[in-house]
Amino acid sequence: LGWGLTQRDARVTSFGPAAKRQHLRSFILEKIKQPVTLVGASYGANVALDLAIQYPDLVSRLILINAPTYIDGLPFVGARKLPKI
């Protein structure tokens, strides 16, 4: 998706949470092929949490570091009950 200092791929039109979640999901399914220990720091913690909520079968353990708990400017945690994974 062109995160960090990587060049932006012209084919990518969205950098929102759904695109990041789908990118990470595809990577896990295509390359790792088993549930993962997912570690997210700062904004990456929101991406990790979002993936774990939407696809709990892909995440065996979730580690959040300095999670801001906001995504797209809206409160993320507490907006819905989080499942135990």
Side-chain angles (χ1 to χ4, degrees):
L1 286 179
W3 299 357
L5 300 176
T6 59
Q7 287 189 339
R8 180 179 176 179
D9 185 330
R11 298 171 295 173
V12 177
T13 58
S14 174
F15 292 90
K20 288 177 173 37
R21 178 179 61 243
Q22 189 58 37
H23 181 78
L24 186 55
R25 178 180 179 266
S26 294
F27 179 79
I28 293 168
L29 290 173
E30 293 173 22
K31 302 295 182 185
I32 301 173
K33 301 178 182 177
Q34 64 184 10
V36 299
T37 296
L38 193 56
V39 180
S42 189
Y43 182 74
N46 284 346
V47 176
L49 182 57
D50 187 34
L51 180 91
I53 289 170
Q54 297 297 321
Y55 302 103
D57 55 312
L58 296 181
V59 181
S60 60
R61 290 180 286 179
L62 180 63
I63 300 169
L64 306 177
I65 302 167
N66 199 28
T69 66
Y70 283 83
I71 198 160
D72 275 354
L74 300 172
F76 187 69
V77 174
R80 59 186 126 153
K81 185 177 179 183
L82 301 178
K84 183 177 180 181
I85 56 172

